[in-house]
Amino acid sequence: MRLAADRGRCEGHGMCEALAPALFRVGADGVVEPPAESVSPADAEVVALAVDSCPVQALRWIDD
């Protein structure tokens, strides 16, 4: 599975980056950049937590 970020909805709160700094980065523009590759099974739990923790629901799963 892959992850998508709604750049129009993201407000740069950084919850995802705080939970999984190796996978998420809030750029200088204040918008999150999700992992470009598919999420590995080892990272799926922390990514799911980041998706659920986004205060503006800007992250979502995409089925491959």
Side-chain angles (χ1 to χ4, degrees):
M1 295 193 52
R2 289 182 304 125
L3 194 64
D6 183 335
R7 295 182 58 81
R9 182 174 280 214
C10 180
E11 295 178 356
H13 293 278
M15 295 296 296
C16 54
E17 186 176 26
L19 289 166
L23 300 172
F24 295 94
R25 179 103 34 233
V26 175
D29 61 354
V31 178
V32 68
E33 289 294 331
E37 303 295 322
S38 294
V39 175
S40 73
D43 293 327
E45 188 174 329
V46 72
V47 171
L49 182 59
V51 169
D52 291 343
S53 297
C54 181
V56 295
Q57 299 174 334
L59 300 172
R60 66 182 170 87
W61 288 107
I62 299 174
D63 290 325
D64 284 337

